[in-house]
Amino acid sequence: MSSPLAHFSLFIANRAQKNESRTRICAAWGYGMTPEQYLARDERMEKLEQAKDGNLITWILAPRDNPETLDFPCSCETYKRAFLAKPSHGVVENTTAYGIGSVFTAVEHRGKGYATHMMHLLHWALAGNTLSKKAAISYPLDLWGEPPNVPSEGDGVVSVLFSDIGSEFYRVAGPTPSVVSPPPLLDEWTLVQDPLTLDGIWDREADRIRHYFSSLSVDAIPAMSFLTDEGVARFQYARLVPEIFSIHPRAPPDPNWGLISSTTSPGEEETFATWDIELKDPAKLVVTRFRCPSNNHQKFESLVYKLLDLAREYGFDEVEIWNLAPDLQGVLNGKTIWRHDHLACMAVYRPDLKDAEWLFNEK
């Protein structure tokens, strides 16, 4: 017997629905921006590299018989991304993955299962072909109604949602019980920083990630990773400026977004860090990607002290690094904790990637 929610399906938002979704989100996550400023920022970001060619999609859950309504209960956004995957006993593949964000339910519709139903359907919109062909999973037609009609999608390998409401939401809202939540370890150092602009750093880092995957043998452990080029890493910064920085009292003037070592020896691995900024209390500098020569603790200390100097200059309270390598934990007087927000919840659609290790997983 079908659920009452089966009368709702997933649709790609039209412009009016997209604006309605973003206006709702602005009230919760707009950092004090007006709806007009928020809409202008998102329209600007739609033209950036990471969103072009249909990579950015706003989705709505709406009645099947009224898909154009502006009174939809919930919405979300997805970003299509290039993704490297090394399955068990297989070679590295260039595949497709998705970032999921801005999952938002209108206040009057909360607690009724709409967001969970939307996520169920979204998994099949993003990975229907993968789920049915690779994982031999059948869509539960009797329970959820007809699957979403989105022929341009369906070949996703994984999707990732950074959840601020714990890991259980994504777990129960998946297409299968196969949901992986990578350990959200981070290291924090209170107060500190000093920067350098890193033109081209993301392209070089993406090349290093590709090189690493190309070196994996068929018998290597399963692994997968997003890439940092094609505007993906830069998205973290584009969403912050200039709208938020122009109105937030703790926003530093003309901030830098990275630093790179100028004392790297010939043949030595490049040392760098890039970051974005969280202006909530406590204000913090959050490292989005860093690279340091293996086991070079002195170089790592120097890098972190630069980050701390910069954070102090901006008047911030903390520096945060996610998933720091075990050999670097404890090098400085930091604190390793489990995160309780921005939890990276991954749905894995292919059985041969179920136990894959998520590599290069910083913010």
Side-chain angles (χ1 to χ4, degrees):
M1 182 177 180
S2 64
S3 161
L5 291 172
H7 296 293
F8 291 79
S9 190
L10 189 71
F11 301 95
I12 296 177
N14 59 34
R15 171 54 65 181
Q17 291 169 328
K18 194 180 296 185
N19 289 344
E20 172 65 21
S21 171
R22 291 172 178 174
T23 299
R24 297 178 188 180
I25 292 169
C26 175
W29 302 320
Y31 286 96
M33 284 187 283
T34 66
E36 292 75 17
Q37 289 172 322
Y38 195 89
L39 291 175
R41 183 202 67 169
D42 278 14
E43 288 182 14
R44 171 177 60 81
M45 292 183 63
E46 285 181 332
K47 301 174 184 178
L48 300 181
E49 185 178 14
Q50 90 285 342
K52 68 181 183 181
D53 300 326
N55 285 342
L56 168 63
I57 294 178
T58 298
W59 304 84
I60 62 159
L61 186 75
R64 294 178 183 272
D65 59 0
N66 190 15
E68 303 293 318
T69 181
L70 295 180
D71 188 26
F72 50 86
C74 54
S75 61
C76 66
E77 296 178 346
T78 59
Y79 278 94
K80 189 176 184 178
R81 297 286 181 251
F83 195 69
L84 296 179
K86 192 276 171 194
S88 55
H89 305 292
V91 298
V92 175
E93 302 175 28
N94 291 297
T95 64
T96 298
Y98 293 86
I100 303 174
S102 300
V103 178
F104 191 85
T105 303
V107 174
E108 63 271 22
H109 294 300
R110 292 176 186 173
K112 302 175 183 178
Y114 288 115
T116 299
H117 184 56
M118 178 178 67
M119 295 303 298
H120 285 315
L121 298 180
L122 182 64
H123 288 303
W124 283 89
L126 302 181
N129 294 334
T130 304
L131 291 167
S132 59
K133 296 176 182 178
K134 295 283 188 179
I137 296 172
S138 298
Y139 176 85
L141 182 66
D142 293 342
L143 184 63
W144 297 343
E146 290 291 333
N149 183 19
V150 283
S152 62
E153 308 300 318
D155 293 318
V157 171
V158 304
S159 62
V160 178
L161 167 71
F162 287 89
S163 172
D164 285 335
I165 57 173
S167 61
E168 283 306 302
F169 169 68
Y170 208 48
R171 185 177 301 279
V172 301
T176 73
S178 175
V179 177
V180 179
S181 295
L185 284 174
L186 57 83
D187 287 72
E188 291 185 342
W189 292 268
T190 303
L191 289 174
V192 182
Q193 122 202 109
D194 175 59
L196 264 176
T197 303
L198 302 175
D199 293 337
I201 190 67
W202 297 118
D203 292 339
R204 296 198 299 276
E205 183 65 2
D207 288 341
R208 280 189 286 263
I209 295 172
R210 290 188 182 97
H211 177 74
Y212 175 84
F213 271 81
S214 69
S215 70
L216 296 177
S217 68
V218 171
D219 295 326
I221 62 171
M224 50 193 175
S225 177
F226 287 98
L227 296 171
T228 55
D229 55 0
E230 298 183 0
V232 173
R234 293 183 181 92
F235 165 72
Q236 298 283 359
Y237 320 114
R239 62 193 292 268
L240 285 174
V241 293
E243 291 85 0
I244 294 173
F245 271 57
S246 66
I247 61 175
H248 202 287
R250 296 199 69 174
D254 301 319
N256 294 281
W257 301 106
L259 61 85
I260 187 168
S261 174
S262 59
T263 57
T264 302
S265 303
E268 185 181 32
E269 185 177 24
E270 185 177 38
T271 299
F272 73 88
T274 58
W275 55 84
D276 73 0
I277 287 169
E278 289 191 6
L279 297 173
K280 299 182 297 184
D281 188 26
K284 62 180 69 173
L285 183 154
V286 183
V287 174
T288 57
R289 185 80 187 110
F290 86 96
R291 185 173 285 271
C292 184
S294 300
N295 301 317
N296 190 334
H297 292 177
Q298 182 176 353
K299 195 87 167 182
F300 176 67
E301 288 183 24
S302 177
L303 172 66
V304 172
Y305 284 137
K306 288 291 186 182
L307 294 173
L308 294 172
D309 285 344
L310 185 58
R312 186 183 298 113
E313 178 184 326
Y314 289 168
F316 289 176
D317 306 304
E318 298 177 353
V319 170
E320 179 176 294
I321 303 177
W322 297 12
N323 295 318
L324 188 61
D327 65 300
L328 295 177
Q329 295 178 16
V331 171
L332 295 172
N333 187 25
K335 180 174 62 174
T336 300
I337 65 173
W338 293 97
R339 292 202 312 274
H340 298 291
D341 59 359
H342 301 320
L343 298 181
C345 304
M346 177 179 285
V348 179
Y349 304 125
R350 283 174 43 171
D352 57 358
L353 292 174
K354 179 181 179 182
D355 298 320
E357 183 179 359
W358 183 1
L359 303 179
F360 306 103
N361 175 26
E362 284 95 35
K363 186 173 189 291

